[in-house]
């Protein structure tokens, strides 16, 4: 079967899907490890062209199902490349999983997250197929609004990572400052709209210069607004200064729960704490699960004894308890050895930290876990008070969910503590994770201390500049001065207000356009 995409050329269905897939792959190259961020401003345009052309020409067998599959191929290409770091979980011998089952599980996880992302794009394409006969300006408005709306919907669920906005982090800090206006969807809207205008310039050749000029104008205007926000000086009053130390323990997951891993953790974090105290830090941050102990045993460790001896606050990653279940938590341990605050990770990794549809899959998947207990998520609207003021906490996967940080900033959080363990993935993952934390720092206008198990630990200022970043698979300690802030960006105060406005304008524009069409048809009949 052949599909006509232009007036002269014909492509086989296979070629059509391959072209869409490769376009998605190009979008996947925008993030680590390649980091070709500039491709994001054109990589969506080919899919846009394929969908609109495919619908407008009314080719045989080119209805919504065809558009759905074309977009599915693009989404699999994008998410499959961007999330390929998930293959780093193989081999899972540290969980006692044999090599071949480990490979099967890894390929399943990679295929699932790629397909999940593909379905997201396919849903968007289904809507675009419905509006293919509308005016180009309306298609751009609707396409942008629906993409932002779907990102909001997907990010409200348990499985989310690769927003269009994060294609610009950490390289294009100027455009990322649009996140202070209405969150990451502000950046996503700019990328989607410009891709749409480029696509419409290709589709409507007679108006090519017009649409390209509008695309260039939006691109320049968005960057000028971002530059204005980026250029604002950051107040650094001495009274708000806080010298924070981080410890990157570098404990491989395969030995983490074994006697050797426990010894290395206790020695490494205790000695690191003492080293940082000698450097005059006010507090020390450790990674996610730095000490794999429950809260009841935490105060009997050598690190807790060192805290009682030195009197310097430490934020320890360990496990909390909730009935017969446990939480992945960060504890505020004061200088006298008391735990005064606890933050429980609220966004858990599906399959990695909890079992979806546990009643159905629990008996199968649980065999892969070395733990008898079940991990449960933390409650919403948690607060984490420290002797230096309220902090914003994100534990590992939560870095992908901007609203987790926004809520805490709105509730008085003055600085960000990001505690992670990315040891079980490939090296691209911690780079993307760092990129996510940069976005959260910019959106909330907060300084960030990021401690990871194996890298990359870092300190980031409110403009997204990385002041220091660790090596990878290294043991390190580092101290840096950050500043507590109480500013509130538009995004922190109002959340994502842009997406509802875009959706509302799209509905209004569609309705008005239909009214005009019906009114014109009535006049012709009369």
């Amino acid at each position: 079967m052949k599909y006509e995409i232009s007036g002269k050329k014909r492509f086989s269905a296979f070629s059509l899907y391959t072209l869409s897939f490769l376009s998605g792959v190009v979008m996947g190259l925008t993030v680590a490890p390649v980091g070709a961020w500039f491709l994001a401003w054109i990589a969506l345009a080919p899919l846009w062209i394929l969908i609109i052309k495919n619908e407008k020409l009314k080719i045989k067998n080119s209805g919504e199902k065809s558009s759905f599959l074309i977009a599915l191929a693009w989404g699999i290409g994008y998410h499959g490349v961007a999330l390929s770091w998930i293959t780093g979980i193989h081999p899972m011998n540290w969980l006692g999983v044999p090599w071949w089952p480990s490979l099967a599980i890894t390929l399943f996880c990679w295929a699932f997250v790629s397909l999940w992302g593909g379905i997201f794009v396919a849903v968007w394409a289904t809507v675009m197929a419905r509006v293919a006969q509308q005016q180009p300006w309306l298609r751009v408005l609707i396409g942008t609004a629906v993409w932002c709306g779907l990102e909001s919907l997907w990010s409200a669920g348990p499985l989310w990572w690769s927003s269009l906005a994060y294609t610009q982090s950490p390289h294009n800090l100027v455009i990322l400052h649009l996140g202070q206006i209405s969150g990451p969807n502000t950046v996503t809207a700019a990328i989607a709209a410009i891709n749409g205008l480029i696509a419409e310039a290709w589709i409507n050749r007679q108006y090519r210069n017009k649409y390209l000029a509008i695309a260039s104008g939006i691109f320049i205007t968005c960057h000028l607004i971002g530059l204005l926000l980026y250029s604002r000086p950051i107040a650094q009053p001495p009274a708000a200064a806080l010298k924070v130390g981080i410890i990157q323990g570098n404990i491989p997951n395969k030995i983490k729960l074994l006697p050797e891993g426990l010894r290395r953790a206790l020695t490494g974090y205790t000695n690191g704490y003492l080293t940082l105290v000698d450097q005059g830090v006010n507090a020390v941050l450790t990674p996610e699960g730095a000490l794999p102990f429950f809260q009841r045993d935490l105060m009997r460790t050598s690190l807790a004894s060192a805290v009682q001896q030195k009197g310097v606050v430490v934020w320890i990653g360990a496990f909390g308890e909730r009935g017969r279940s446990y939480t992945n938590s960060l504890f505020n341990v004061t200088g006298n050895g008391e735990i005064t605050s606890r933050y429980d990770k609220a966004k858990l990794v599906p399959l990695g930290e909890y079992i979806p549809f546990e009643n159905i899959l629990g008996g199968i998947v649980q065999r892969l876990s070395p733990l008898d207990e079940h991990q449960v998520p933390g409650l919403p609207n948690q607060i984490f008070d420290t002797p230096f003021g309220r902090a914003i906490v994100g534990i590992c996967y939560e870095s992908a969910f901007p609203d987790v940080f926004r809520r805490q900033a709105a509730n008085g959080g003055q600085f960000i503590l990001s505690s992670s363990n990315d040891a079980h993935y490939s090296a691209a993952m911690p780079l993307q994770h760092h990129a996510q934390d940069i976005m959260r720092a910019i959106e909330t206008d907060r300084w960030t201390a990021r401690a990871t198990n194996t890298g990359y630990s870092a300190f980031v200022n409110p403009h997204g500049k990385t002041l220091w970043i660790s090596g990878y698979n290294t043991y390190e300690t580092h101290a840096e001065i950050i500043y507590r802030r109480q500013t509130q960006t538009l995004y922190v105060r109002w959340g994502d207000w842009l997406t509802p406005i875009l959706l509302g304008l799209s509905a209004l524009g569609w309705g008005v356009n239909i009214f005009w069409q019906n009114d014109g048809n009535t006049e012709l009949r009369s």
Side-chain angles (χ1 to χ4, degrees):
M1 182 65 65
K2 298 289 185 178
Y3 292 84
E4 185 179 350
I5 298 304
S6 70
K8 300 178 180 179
K9 296 181 180 179
R10 288 179 177 268
F11 295 87
S12 67
F14 176 79
S15 299
L16 198 64
Y17 299 140
T18 300
L19 179 61
S20 180
F21 174 78
L22 292 177
S23 175
V25 168
V26 170
M27 183 65 83
L29 298 177
T30 59
V31 296
V34 178
W37 60 272
F38 47 88
L39 293 176
W41 299 95
I42 59 173
L44 180 59
L47 173 63
W48 195 299
I49 294 169
L50 290 175
I51 297 301
I52 301 303
K53 279 284 192 180
N54 199 38
E55 294 300 323
K56 283 177 70 67
L57 294 174
K58 300 292 185 181
I59 307 298
K60 183 180 179 182
N61 294 328
S62 65
E64 292 175 23
K65 183 178 180 182
S66 174
S67 294
F68 186 93
L69 294 177
I70 291 170
L72 185 68
W74 190 95
I76 291 174
Y78 171 38
H79 295 279
V81 171
L83 302 178
S84 60
W85 45 259
I86 200 171
T87 58
I89 63 176
H90 174 71
M92 291 182 280
N93 50 9
W94 60 283
L95 283 175
V97 182
W99 197 92
W100 282 109
S102 170
L103 178 62
I105 294 168
T106 300
L107 292 177
F108 170 79
C109 291
W110 188 21
F112 181 83
V113 296
S114 301
L115 182 61
W116 183 254
I119 291 173
F120 164 93
V121 183
V123 171
W124 173 83
T126 301
V127 176
M128 292 302 292
R130 294 279 188 180
V131 300
Q133 303 302 323
Q134 302 297 325
Q135 296 295 321
W137 66 267
L138 186 55
R139 290 200 296 263
V140 173
L141 177 58
I142 292 175
T144 301
V146 171
W147 193 288
C148 290
L150 287 172
E151 283 205 359
S152 295
L153 181 63
W154 250 248
S155 63
L159 194 59
W160 178 245
W161 187 264
S162 40
S163 163
L164 284 187
Y166 101 122
T167 63
Q168 302 302 290
S169 186
H171 306 288
N172 192 354
L173 296 181
V174 168
I175 200 66
L176 290 178
H177 276 69
L178 295 184
Q180 293 185 349
I181 299 173
S182 186
N185 271 1
T186 323
V187 182
T188 291
I191 295 172
I194 289 171
N195 273 275
L197 287 164
I198 293 173
E200 294 297 342
W202 180 274
I203 295 168
N204 302 279
R205 305 292 180 88
Q206 68 274 31
Y207 301 115
R208 176 180 295 176
N209 292 337
K210 172 186 173 181
Y211 289 124
L212 290 178
I214 295 173
S216 300
I218 293 176
F219 181 85
I220 294 171
T221 300
C222 287
H223 279 79
L224 286 176
I225 294 173
L227 182 62
L228 180 64
L229 296 171
Y230 180 73
S231 301
R232 292 187 303 177
I234 302 173
Q236 300 181 22
L242 182 65
K243 190 173 185 179
V244 176
I246 65 97
I247 306 171
Q248 181 170 293
N250 195 34
I251 314 293
N253 278 346
K254 62 183 180 181
I255 66 169
K256 189 175 181 64
L257 299 177
L258 300 178
E260 179 188 355
L262 296 176
R263 285 194 299 270
R264 284 179 56 175
L266 289 171
T267 301
Y269 288 109
T270 301
N271 291 343
Y273 172 83
L274 295 172
T275 298
L276 290 166
V277 168
D278 289 341
Q279 295 176 17
V281 299
N282 301 113
V284 175
L285 175 64
T286 68
E288 172 191 22
L291 297 184
F293 296 97
F294 287 108
Q295 180 177 348
R296 62 177 181 269
D297 301 318
L298 196 57
M299 301 316 299
R300 295 197 290 266
T301 64
S302 58
L303 177 56
S305 298
V307 173
Q308 292 173 327
Q309 177 186 355
K310 295 296 184 178
V312 174
V313 171
V314 63
W315 297 305
I316 302 178
F319 300 128
E321 294 175 274
R322 191 185 301 168
R324 298 187 60 183
S325 300
Y326 74 98
T327 58
N328 189 346
S329 305
L330 189 72
F331 296 92
N332 180 81
V333 183
T334 59
N336 58 9
E338 294 183 2
I339 296 176
T340 59
S341 290
R342 164 180 159 184
Y343 177 86
D344 300 330
K345 184 178 183 180
K347 295 290 187 179
L348 305 184
V349 181
L351 292 180
E353 294 178 317
Y354 78 98
I355 304 171
F357 311 109
E358 186 171 359
N359 292 335
I360 301 173
L361 302 177
I364 301 173
V365 181
Q366 190 176 359
R367 297 175 188 173
L368 302 178
S369 174
L371 300 174
D372 294 328
E373 297 85 357
H374 297 277
Q375 185 169 338
V376 292
L379 300 175
N381 299 321
Q382 298 177 72
I383 59 173
F384 190 78
D385 287 322
T386 77
F388 317 104
R390 188 163 293 173
I392 302 166
V393 178
I395 298 180
C396 203
Y397 183 46
E398 293 182 317
S399 293
F401 298 88
D403 204 50
V404 171
F405 294 75
R406 187 196 71 80
R407 285 197 304 266
Q408 294 183 71
N411 286 331
Q414 300 178 43
F415 54 94
I416 296 174
L417 301 175
S418 178
S419 180
S420 304
N421 178 15
D422 300 331
H424 34 283
Y425 300 109
S426 69
M429 195 277 183
L431 286 173
Q432 291 186 20
H433 202 158
H434 177 58
Q436 297 276 14
D437 279 335
I438 285 175
M439 294 173 66
R440 307 294 86 88
I442 294 172
E443 293 156 6
T444 58
D445 194 34
R446 295 294 187 267
W447 294 76
T448 298
R450 168 170 163 77
T452 71
N453 178 18
T454 54
Y456 295 96
S457 303
F459 287 89
V460 179
N461 77 7
H463 281 326
K465 290 183 178 179
T466 300
L467 306 178
W468 172 85
I469 189 167
S470 72
Y472 187 62
N473 286 335
T474 56
Y475 174 87
E476 297 192 38
T477 62
H478 186 80
E480 198 79 37
I481 295 177
I482 66 174
Y483 294 85
R484 293 161 285 179
R485 293 172 67 80
Q486 300 183 32
T487 58
Q488 288 200 342
T489 63
L490 287 177
Y491 173 60
V492 169
R493 277 182 278 175
W494 298 343
D496 178 17
W497 53 268
L498 178 62
T499 298
I501 289 178
L502 289 175
L503 289 170
L505 290 174
S506 297
L508 179 62
W510 197 354
V512 169
N513 201 45
I514 291 174
F515 174 80
W516 284 343
Q517 289 175 352
N518 291 338
D519 190 52
N521 292 335
T522 301
E523 290 181 2
L524 287 175
R525 286 195 298 269
S526 62

